[in-house]
Amino acid sequence: MKKLYIKAVSALLLGGSMASCGDDFLDTKLYDGIDTDSGLVNVDNIGYAVNGAYYNLYNYRFAGNFAINIGDIASDITYWNGLTGHFDDIYRFHPQETSNYLYYIWNYGYKVADNSARVIKAGNELYATTNEDEKPSLDLYLAEAYCLRAYSHFILVNVYGHQYKVNGQDFGAKPGIVIIDEPVPANTQVARATVAEAYTQIVSDLNNAISHFKAAGGDRGDVVYFNLAAAYGLLSRVNLYMENWQGAIDAADDAIATFGVTSLVYDDAAYKALYNGGTSNDESMFCLAITPSDNWSANSSGYIWSSYNYSPSPYLQSLYGPNDCRLAIETWGGSSTPQAPVYGGGKLAAFAYGNPSYGTEYIINAPEMFLNQAEAYLKIATPDISKAQDALLVVAKRNRDITSVADLPSDATGLMAFIKDERARELFQEGHRLYDLRRWDVMANVAATDAPNIDYLVKNYKISDLVFPIPVDEINSGFGVTQTEGWSETLPQ
């Protein structure tokens, strides 16, 4: 029988070992749990099940490391000094069907999707008979489960599918992912939906999440759980990728208003303090519950950006002005040299503790909302340069040499170029860059080399074509998932 780990614990994170039974497409069984065919029968158990889904989201194989870092490592803004082998196949754009990173992103992404789908199904079945005192809690759990499923599907379709929209071109008919709109019984044959169908499911889930948050009368008030502002924030990101420009603007407006933020920090000390660790980033709408006592140690994101030798590329470093407060977190290890840089962790540095393994991932953040709006205002049917400048200025003032819209480009072409650079400056280490380059159809330079010089092993790569392969173990399992035809031909040749 399918089992989901929903053991009650006092903290957010759940422990337990995985049982790899290998008798279904998802292989999501966990032992020491409650039988999900009969166990999700009350609101308390639904809550425990949601915590189980968070555990899989938090795991270093998914949002705790691999699923976030792949978006920056496979881009132009990251440098690898070659001293370790972590992510090197992704960095050099030589992924294989046997890549551990691609295997685990798939595996844990589907654990989150499957766990969430079980909560959604059971919660909706309980809804009509739940008493009024418990219904707000059930609405809250359903809202979070819809967010979790939307987020996992969004990561999966962007890693394993073609970019949906590429500078106005629609690739929605391309093969996407298996959509988990219902829990998948063992030994079930499945099939990949299209990219467009995956996005339709994601938007539906986020709209359902927003409805349930409102029905619950709010959220938990804790950014380590999905909340109403984060649901709007993720919806803005999804709409941006869909080139639904007005939808991106409106959802960002709702995220900003719900979160209650109108400005950011611009002082060096205040900016550095955002990355002290835990929930120190008060510009973050949703982050992982990583702390000195609950972290992934050598498997953490912080190790990728310190001991495992990834750093901002010389190109990215060249984009910052000398009075940019974001330079406050650009620290370097004692063994670092210009030719073999060793970064101090950056956003993952956990400055309050001095240990990058304690650095949390800030998943949905206020600055992104302003940048989403800035871009979308330039792309709507009647572009609004003034509103684009106003939104952009909120973030661009991190560079203290920029004080007003007069310091920003006044034409659409120049402003869009500035927005592209600003997204690189602001969103570094948040996993956006690969998807930005693909959706803009940039002829990209990737696999930076020869630090401290700005140079790349691969130049003028049509990165919008890039599609990572489905893990070979999934293809060979015989449950219906097919490989993306010609995926290897989309790599730099």
Side-chain angles (χ1 to χ4, degrees), residues 72-73 75-82 91 304-305 308-314 317 338-341 428 447-453 455:
D72 276 339
I73 287 173
S75 80
D76 59 344
I77 60 174
T78 296
Y79 190 85
W80 172 55
N81 69 15
Y91 180 81
I304 293 293
W305 299 102
Y308 293 156
N309 305 125
Y310 284 92
S311 62
S313 69
Q317 292 178 57
Q339 293 74 29
F428 177 58
T449 188
D450 196 32
N453 300 307
D455 196 10

Side-chain angles (χ1 to χ4, degrees), residues 8 18 34 49-50 86 156 177 181 190-191 228-229 236 245 258 260 271 285 307-308 310 326 362 402 404 469:
M18 305 296 175
I34 294 175
V50 171
H86 298 270
L156 289 166
I177 56 170
D181 54 349
V190 297
L228 182 56
S236 176
W245 307 118
T258 303
Y271 184 77
M285 300 173 180
S307 300
Y308 293 156
Y310 284 92
R326 289 168 290 208
Y362 300 103
I402 296 174
S404 72

Side-chain angles (χ1 to χ4, degrees), residues 333-355:
S335 62
S336 182
T337 67
Q339 293 74 29
V342 178
Y343 201 40
K347 290 180 178 178
L348 285 305
F351 291 105
Y353 309 105
N355 186 338

Side-chain angles (χ1 to χ4, degrees), residues 181-214:
D181 54 349
E182 288 279 337
V184 180
N187 300 312
T188 299
Q189 289 290 304
V190 297
R192 295 172 67 180
T194 66
V195 170
E197 288 167 339
Y199 270 80
T200 297
Q201 180 68 49
I202 292 163
V203 171
S204 174
D205 279 351
L206 289 172
N207 285 329
N208 279 323
I210 289 164
S211 295
H212 280 287
F213 276 128
K214 290 179 177 179

Side-chain angles (χ1 to χ4, degrees), residues 263-268 270-272 274-275 281-284 320-328 347 365-368 370-371 392-403 418 422 425-427 430:
S263 65
L264 308 175
V265 300
Y266 308 106
D267 172 76
D268 286 1
Y271 184 77
K272 187 174 182 178
L274 295 178
Y275 302 102
N281 187 345
D282 58 12
E283 296 176 357
S284 183
Y320 294 98
N323 292 318
D324 197 311
C325 70
R326 289 168 290 208
L327 294 176
K347 290 180 178 178
N365 307 310
E368 181 197 348
F370 295 106
L371 293 172
L392 177 59
L393 182 65
V394 177
V395 182
K397 288 193 298 184
R398 301 271 210 207
N399 178 353
R400 289 184 295 273
D401 291 332
I402 296 174
T403 60
F418 192 103
E422 193 63 27
R425 285 185 285 260
E426 178 61 37
L427 303 180
E430 296 178 24

Side-chain angles (χ1 to χ4, degrees), residues 34-171:
I34 294 175
D35 179 3
T36 57
D37 290 337
S38 60
L40 298 182
V41 294
N42 59 59
V43 175
D44 283 345
N45 279 5
I46 293 289
Y48 301 148
V50 171
N51 278 4
Y54 276 112
Y55 174 77
N56 286 322
L57 177 86
Y58 163 99
N59 196 284
Y60 74 88
R61 299 169 182 90
F62 198 57
N65 183 337
F66 296 173
I68 301 296
N69 289 316
I70 193 172
D72 276 339
I73 287 173
S75 80
D76 59 344
I77 60 174
T78 296
Y79 190 85
W80 172 55
N81 69 15
L83 298 180
T84 68
H86 298 270
F87 269 109
D88 59 312
D89 58 334
I90 303 297
Y91 180 81
R92 294 181 298 178
F93 287 79
H94 292 157
Q96 302 296 318
E97 293 173 289
T98 54
S99 164
N100 278 340
Y101 300 103
L102 295 174
Y103 169 78
Y104 280 120
I105 292 170
W106 177 274
N107 188 271
Y108 274 78
Y110 275 111
K111 288 180 188 293
V112 177
D114 179 71
N115 293 177
S116 303
R118 293 172 187 282
V119 169
I120 291 164
K121 179 178 174 63
N124 283 328
E125 290 172 351
L126 281 174
Y127 201 84
T129 58
T130 298
N131 66 55
E132 293 305 310
D133 289 340
E134 288 189 303
K135 192 157 285 185
S137 293
L138 183 55
D139 274 310
L140 178 64
Y141 298 144
L142 280 168
E144 292 181 7
Y146 277 117
C147 284
L148 286 160
R149 185 168 69 179
Y151 183 79
S152 61
H153 278 154
F154 184 67
I155 291 291
L156 289 166
V157 74
N158 278 286
V159 171
Y160 302 100
H162 197 287
Q163 200 74 31
Y164 187 1
K165 296 289 180 71
V166 176
N167 196 24
Q169 293 180 277
D170 190 327
F171 292 91

